[in-house]
Amino acid sequence: MPELPEVETVKRSLEEKIKGKVVQGMEFLVPQVIKRPTPEEFREAFQGEVFQGMGRRGKYLLFYLHSGKILVSHLRMTGQLIYCSPETPQEKHLCLIFSLLDQATGETNHLRYLDIRRFGCFYLLNPGETLPGLEKLGPEPLGVDFTLDYLRKVLTNKKGKIKALLLDQELIAGIGNIYADETLFRAGIMPDKPGNALTEAEIIRLYQVIPQVLQESIDKRGTTISDYLDSEGKKGDFQNYLQIYSRAGEACMNCGNVIQKTKIGGRSSCFCPQCQK
DNA sequence: AATCGTTCCTGATAGC
DNA sequence: TGCTATCAGGAACGAT
């Protein structure tokens, strides 16, 4: 499932490929992934548009267009953005095709959106327009706004379970189930501990470990558990470095005890009862 | 205000 | 073999 490192990897693997390309046409095989405006208006608005560059905010991908409009994409669980030749056979779960023209060479390529579960979504925003989910995002955990003071303030304030707090995009942007489990294991904190029960030492450890895990995963080009691929169709590598996520029943690599699994906020959560307090 | 359950959706897997 | 049930889960939404 794409979280911050996976979305960042898609951005990095796609940006140079689409920069300067002209949108020649589009096909909507599963129009329901286009949330705003209507698919018809979406197609109309894209006439003659040029991709200028890309950005990322939390788990959202941003495509900056020549007109000043922004195409926003969220991959949710199983979304994939693939850059390929128009000759590539149509994939089973193909939802959208953008045909992109390179004016220098006259070549056309496809930017395709695939999504097995169809949870992903696209929005086309006019200049100055925003989305509730995007606007309310908390600070980027790899950015300067994510400070120890911020984390301390936001946690000591909350009675909810720390795992649920880490998944709350309004508190910190971009952490999903994989990296929530990984950070809590590395910080030695039980996932069901209330936010306001964390000690100062635990908050400091968490503050150090969050950017560390995310950056390590970006360096390994993300985690591929089942579906995630980058824009070249390549798997990530960080699944080989996971210490706790999806390892219930296995031995903890730190103490050797059996890794446990529980549900927190409706999400499966793996933890080591020995190493996490 | 905060927290909970439900919804969207398909595929892998378990159990009979 | 072939059926049904369960699970995977991000975020919007409604209910409490």
Side-chain angles (χ1 to χ4, degrees):
Chain A
M1 69 218 83
E3 305 179 24
L4 188 154
E6 291 74 36
V7 178
E8 179 65 23
T9 304
V10 171
K11 185 210 148 195
R12 292 184 185 185
S13 67
L14 191 55
E15 185 166 26
E16 289 313 309
K17 296 188 177 75
I18 64 166
K19 216 179 237 181
K21 303 278 162 74
V22 182
V23 180
Q24 238 185 346
M26 16 192 31
E27 274 183 69
F28 305 149
L29 295 95
V30 181
Q32 75 206 60
V33 300
I34 298 171
K35 304 297 179 188
R36 205 169 86 198
T38 67
E40 295 75 23
E41 291 166 335
F42 190 89
R43 183 195 305 281
E44 186 59 33
F46 255 101
Q47 284 310 309
E49 272 289 6
V50 180
F51 283 103
Q52 300 284 83
M54 291 180 66
R56 180 192 57 74
R57 184 73 176 91
K59 304 175 197 170
Y60 288 87
L61 269 176
L62 310 173
F63 297 80
Y64 301 111
L65 304 172
H66 183 253
S67 62
K69 290 176 184 165
I70 301 175
L71 174 65
V72 180
S73 166
H74 197 301
L75 307 174
R76 294 288 174 92
M77 303 302 302
T78 54
Q80 297 173 10
L81 280 160
I82 305 283
Y83 187 81
C84 64
S85 155
E87 313 300 324
T88 309
Q90 285 207 356
E91 298 85 350
K92 185 173 178 191
H93 300 290
L94 187 58
C95 298
L96 306 177
I97 303 174
F98 298 79
S99 289
L100 302 185
L101 171 69
D102 185 330
Q103 284 184 307
T105 65
E107 246 177 67
T108 298
N109 276 292
H110 277 181
L111 174 60
R112 296 185 182 180
Y113 181 69
L114 284 59
D115 197 338
I116 297 170
R117 281 175 237 181
R118 304 178 180 189
F119 284 0
C121 46
F122 285 79
Y123 301 86
L124 184 60
L125 304 183
N126 290 314
E129 196 182 355
T130 185
L131 281 177
L134 197 53
E135 197 175 31
K136 288 191 203 156
L137 284 177
E140 285 291 325
L142 296 174
V144 293
D145 295 340
F146 184 62
T147 61
L148 179 59
D149 275 350
Y150 174 80
L151 189 65
R152 188 187 293 120
K153 196 179 110 209
V154 90
L155 292 185
T156 51
N157 206 349
K158 300 277 190 299
K159 293 180 212 154
K161 294 168 178 170
I162 182 63
K163 166 81 184 262
L165 298 176
L166 289 178
L167 292 174
D168 185 343
Q169 303 300 298
E170 294 184 27
L171 300 186
I172 306 170
I175 298 176
N177 209 29
I178 298 173
Y179 301 103
D181 277 7
E182 291 298 311
T183 51
L184 288 173
F185 177 72
R186 292 202 193 189
I189 302 167
M190 278 291 262
D192 66 352
K193 192 160 190 172
N196 60 8
L198 264 66
T199 65
E200 174 69 9
E202 287 173 331
I203 295 171
I204 291 172
R205 287 206 299 274
L206 197 55
Y207 176 70
Q208 290 168 337
V209 136
I210 288 171
Q212 189 187 88
V213 171
L214 295 173
Q215 189 58 54
E216 278 179 32
S217 182
I218 291 172
D219 293 343
K220 302 287 182 199
R221 300 176 31 268
T223 301
T224 299
I225 294 287
S226 55
D227 305 297
Y228 165 73
L229 301 172
D230 74 7
S231 76
E232 294 167 357
K234 285 194 295 198
K235 291 182 179 184
D237 202 27
F238 197 67
Q239 65 278 10
N240 300 315
Y241 300 86
L242 295 175
Q243 297 180 9
I244 197 86
Y245 178 82
S246 84
R247 299 194 56 214
E250 295 179 31
C252 169
M253 60 201 306
N254 190 37
C255 72
N257 282 344
V258 179
I259 294 171
Q260 304 294 311
K261 186 158 96 166
T262 183
K263 276 234 188 257
I264 294 172
R267 305 283 173 265
S268 70
S269 304
C270 297
F271 65 98
C272 173
Q274 188 71 26
C275 298
Q276 294 173 255
K277 297 293 173 193

